[in-house]
Amino acid sequence: MSTRDKLQQVMRNVFDDEGLEIFDTMSAEDVDDWDSFSHIHLCAAIEKTFGVKLTTEQALNAKTVADFLKLLK
């Protein structure tokens, strides 16, 4: 499974939307349930799924799907 596919699955789980299709510029403006609380949940789920540790700065600056993908490379 590619990084993009895994991230999509993480986002589907966090936002409880199995039909969610991610795109590079997708941000909180594109997902109704993406607020500050769910952003923290998303970051935690990404850390757990990918076995990474995001710094506070990385978590705060990641605003789009492309930002998260860049961090995961």
Side-chain angles (χ1 to χ4, degrees), residues 12-32:
R12 285 177 174 177
N13 292 339
V14 169
F15 299 118
D16 196 26
D17 181 353
E18 285 302 313
L20 183 74
E21 296 289 331
I22 64 171
F23 52 93
D24 285 346
T25 59
M26 179 182 273
S27 69
E29 293 178 7
D30 301 302
V31 181
D32 289 336

Side-chain angles (χ1 to χ4, degrees), residues 1 4-14 18:
M1 182 179 284
R4 178 177 288 277
D5 291 339
K6 283 173 73 172
L7 179 59
Q8 179 167 277
Q9 191 58 49
V10 168
M11 293 184 76
R12 285 177 174 177
N13 292 339
V14 169
E18 285 302 313

Side-chain angles (χ1 to χ4, degrees), residues 25-69:
T25 59
M26 179 182 273
S27 69
E29 293 178 7
D30 301 302
V31 181
D32 289 336
D33 293 335
W34 191 343
D35 57 20
S36 58
F37 181 74
S38 61
H39 188 81
I40 293 167
H41 187 98
L42 175 60
C43 289
I46 287 170
E47 288 180 333
K48 182 177 181 181
T49 301
F50 290 94
V52 297
K53 180 69 176 150
L54 302 176
T55 66
T56 301
E57 183 178 346
Q58 289 172 323
L60 291 174
N61 289 330
K63 307 268 189 226
T64 66
V65 166
D67 292 340
F68 283 111
L69 288 171

